[in-house]
Structure formats: C-alpha cells, structure tokens
Amino acid sequence: MRHQLLHAAVLAPTGQWLVQHRAESLVHVLDGPRAMVDLAAEIQRRIRTTRNRTR
C-alpha cells in the first residue's frame, strides 16, 4: 500500500481474498492463500524493478 501498488486486501469468510488495486478500481477475488502469496511476490518484483530504474 505504501508504494500505491495495492489499495486493500480483505480475507473473506470463505478463505478467498478480496483485493483492490486502487480505491476506484474493481475488486478482484483471489482463491486462497496461494493466490495471495503470488500477488505479494508480484508486488515485490514491481518494487525491486522500480528501485533499480531509479538508481
């Protein structure tokens, strides 16, 4: 959220994650913890790529 790559992530009672990239964007449903870990890895890659470009 700090780098504006994710607005919100909420765990639903079904075990799915509801994710919103920006306040005005659609909510995406991620099926379980594996999908959430994949999203976190993607965000980390974006952060590292952005850092390397600014150095």
Side-chain angles (χ1 to χ4, degrees), residues 1-49:
M1 293 181 208
R2 181 173 135 200
H3 296 279
Q4 299 178 351
L5 297 171
L6 188 64
H7 175 69
V10 178
L11 179 60
T14 60
Q16 296 174 315
W17 283 90
L18 307 176
V19 177
Q20 195 173 21
H21 293 280
R22 293 189 178 92
E24 67 279 354
S25 67
L26 296 175
V27 174
H28 297 277
V29 178
L30 302 179
D31 291 324
R34 171 69 186 202
M36 193 60 181
V37 170
D38 290 343
L39 176 62
E42 178 185 331
I43 290 171
Q44 286 180 337
R45 279 193 297 275
R46 285 191 220 165
I47 291 169
R48 288 184 183 130
T49 301

